[in-house]
Amino acid sequence: MELLSIDQERVTAEWIDGVSRSLQGRISKAEVDRELRELYGALVDGLRAGDEDARGDGFSEVRALLTELSRNRARQGFTPSETAISVLALKQALEPALRNGSAEDTTAYLRLARILDDLALLTIEAYTRTREQIISSQASQLMELSTPVVKLWDGVIAVPLVGTLDSARTQVVMEKLLQALVDTGSEQAIIDITGVPAVDTQVAQHLLKTVVAARLMGAECTISGIRPQIAQTIVALGIEFGDIVTKASLADALQHALRRSGVDLVTRQDGGR
Amino acid sequence: MTVPWAPEAPPQTQPITQNDDVVRSRQQVRTFAQQCGLSLVEQTKFITAASELARNTLVYGGGGEMRAGLVERHGRRGVAAVFADSGPGIPDTDLALTDGWTSGGGLGLGLSGARRLVDEFFLDTEVDRGTTVTIVKWAR
Ligand SMILES: Nc1ncnc2c1ncn2[C@@H]1O[C@H](COP(=O)(O)OP(=O)(O)OP(=O)(O)O)[C@@H](O)[C@H]1O
Ligand SMILES: [Mg+2]
């Protein structure tokens, strides 16, 4: 407590300097100044309240400020070290005061250092939590992005599947496909699996369920993009697609779907000239 | 079954405790299947078998691990994967290996299908002790 009030101006200035330097100007000095001065005030209040534990009530304001700071750093793409430095740089700023300080100062410093170490860990926890949130929201965005439903023709829609089909993604695909059937009033849907690296029993089961659900809505599904290695694997596994129409290419599937919906494709006598 | 791991490359271990690990197992097996020179069809078959067994390890075995790597016997190269769990075991292996039989909500084709997809298949299981499935595929 004493330690922080004796030389307040020099210590805060050095602290702010240290942090700004490590952030290499990617956050303005004025911003760092504001953040750290607010933190400093909260820290002094906490120490004044006599709390020894960084997770205790006295430091709840400090923790709130640090959590906010860590979240911002995580969102702005700083590293965990660049986040924790906001706390740790204060320890360095305090060291000069120790050199000509008393034994009491040293004891006070050690006590404060322990609290600061705990607070630094706390910033890393808050940082990690934010990163995890970012990653999981990106994952679900990717899931949405990677399953577009496209309208190929009046009454014909298609979903090209790319990558690994886990349960969560299949759920998204299925919902989007069924919704698109309703929205477009289509009666033909094509599920293209050219981009799916392996079809195992789980993927097959998901596909079968989707087809059954579409049927319940009065729509027919064709599965296309079955490459030779996938076809052979499906046969060896023993998966039966029953009466579900499967085609090698999306073009074949479209032709089939069009015929089913009563559209005739004719080749012109003059060859299109 | 002692797996004839290739001396120059030790097998790698992949824990199987969550859904993502099934994908990871598949990717690891793919690397080895490519390294030992399997054709695209053979690769796909082996990877799919690994996918089935990894999921069984997770779903029925309650988690476990996969060890995978290159194998060698009489100058022939191949790829092997060993899936091990210490789950409930399989009381009736004939039944479990019957096409279409499932104790869960699956198609009941994972175990029997995986056996058809590989060159060698060993199922070692004991009730209350766990299950180990070893698969091998040799390059032509
Ligand atoms: N590692 C294991 N531990 C315990 N029981 C297992 C294990 N692997 C398979 N089984 C049992 O064997 C049965 C058949 O497995 P199999 O993989 O063939 O079918 P499934 O997993 O039920 O369905 P899917 O076709 O989706 O794989 C399972 O339902 C389960 O009861
Ligand atoms: Mg299975």
Side-chain angles (χ1 to χ4, degrees):
Chain A
M1 166 58 227
E2 284 288 291
L3 207 57
L4 282 180
S5 8
I6 313 167
D7 219 357
Q8 182 164 348
E9 258 324 298
R10 188 198 55 77
V11 170
T12 36
E14 240 167 74
W15 185 23
I16 292 163
D17 251 13
V19 174
S20 308
R21 243 197 332 276
S22 76
L23 299 179
Q24 292 165 359
R26 280 178 293 157
I27 293 183
S28 75
K29 192 152 179 193
E31 174 76 18
V32 176
D33 192 287
R34 190 194 55 75
E35 275 177 355
L36 297 191
R37 276 182 200 281
E38 210 174 339
L39 198 56
Y40 197 88
L43 202 54
V44 171
D45 287 347
L47 289 168
R48 198 170 278 148
D51 217 324
E52 295 279 332
D53 180 4
R55 317 230 161 202
D57 282 346
F59 291 106
S60 60
E61 175 69 14
V62 177
R63 288 197 304 272
L65 289 171
L66 277 179
T67 305
E68 184 59 26
L69 180 147
S70 309
R71 266 195 218 147
N72 290 336
R73 296 283 195 275
R75 285 202 199 98
Q76 290 157 341
F78 288 96
T79 64
S81 323
E82 286 166 334
T83 305
I85 194 78
S86 297
V87 175
L88 296 176
L90 178 57
K91 281 169 73 178
Q92 279 160 35
L94 284 169
E95 275 166 21
L98 282 183
R99 242 159 258 146
N100 26 33
S102 60
E104 271 156 56
D105 283 346
T106 310
T107 316
Y109 173 82
L110 290 176
R111 189 190 132 212
L112 180 58
R114 198 170 315 130
I115 294 172
L116 290 178
D117 287 345
D118 270 350
L119 291 172
L121 290 177
L122 195 128
T123 65
I124 294 186
E125 281 167 25
Y127 177 95
T128 312
R129 261 197 313 279
T130 308
R131 293 300 290 180
E132 274 163 9
Q133 280 162 7
I134 293 173
I135 291 167
S136 79
S137 87
Q138 280 172 345
S140 49
Q141 281 168 15
L142 211 61
M143 200 137 81
E144 292 280 319
L145 269 181
S146 55
T147 52
V149 179
V150 289
K151 182 172 169 183
L152 293 183
W153 207 275
D154 242 1
V156 184
I157 57 172
V159 256
L161 298 181
V162 178
T164 304
L165 276 186
D166 56 17
S167 302
R169 244 193 96 200
T170 318
Q171 190 64 30
V172 173
V173 173
M174 186 141 110
E175 277 166 19
K176 283 184 103 176
L177 180 72
L178 299 178
Q179 189 58 47
L181 284 172
V182 176
D183 293 346
T184 60
S186 299
E187 290 196 348
Q188 295 290 329
I190 299 170
I191 303 174
D192 187 83
I193 59 167
T194 310
V196 177
V199 175
D200 59 10
T201 56
Q202 195 190 40
V203 173
Q205 208 179 9
H206 287 323
L207 287 173
L208 293 171
K209 279 186 184 154
T210 307
V211 172
V212 170
R215 273 191 185 155
L216 286 174
M217 298 178 52
E220 271 309 306
C221 282
T222 307
I223 297 174
S224 71
I226 302 185
R227 290 163 296 152
Q229 65 271 28
I230 300 284
Q232 292 186 49
T233 305
I234 289 177
V235 171
L237 261 180
I239 296 168
E240 284 167 22
F241 278 121
D243 57 350
I244 297 166
V245 181
T246 55
K247 296 283 176 192
S249 72
L250 184 56
D252 292 343
L254 176 60
Q255 200 170 25
H256 172 82
L258 287 175
R259 201 173 297 134
R260 292 285 293 265
S261 53
V263 177
D264 266 331
L265 288 183
V266 288
T267 311
R268 270 161 53 185
Q269 290 287 327
D270 61 0
R273 259 165 283 142
Chain B
M1 155 81 197
T2 42
V3 182
W5 300 115
E8 78 279 5
Q12 281 181 23
T13 303
Q14 166 69 53
I16 304 175
T17 55
Q18 55 185 47
N19 257 317
D20 290 353
D21 294 334
V22 177
V23 179
R24 285 192 197 102
S25 308
R26 217 151 53 202
Q27 280 161 352
Q28 213 178 79
V29 156
R30 178 187 303 272
T31 313
F32 290 121
Q34 284 168 348
Q35 270 176 26
C36 73
L38 292 189
S39 71
L40 186 56
V41 173
E42 302 298 289
Q43 276 176 37
T44 309
K45 286 184 174 176
F46 193 79
I47 294 163
T48 308
S51 183
E52 294 301 338
L53 298 175
R55 191 166 298 108
N56 283 353
T57 300
L58 179 67
V59 174
Y60 301 109
E65 62 172 41
M66 174 191 81
R67 289 214 303 150
L70 301 176
V71 286
E72 228 175 76
R73 189 191 287 150
H74 312 308
R76 253 180 123 188
R77 282 166 76 77
V79 54
V82 182
F83 299 84
D85 65 63
S86 17
I90 303 175
D92 185 341
T93 53
D94 285 342
L95 190 60
L97 280 164
T98 305
D99 274 357
W101 189 84
T102 174
S103 67
L107 294 174
L109 291 171
L111 214 49
S112 50
R115 181 158 69 165
R116 284 188 293 267
L117 289 170
V118 298
D119 293 332
E120 294 175 30
F121 179 96
F122 303 93
L123 171 59
D124 179 15
T125 183
E126 197 184 326
V127 171
D128 290 341
R129 293 296 291 276
T131 302
T132 301
V133 184
T134 305
I135 52 173
V136 185
K137 202 163 188 71
W138 298 104
R140 309 255 160 254

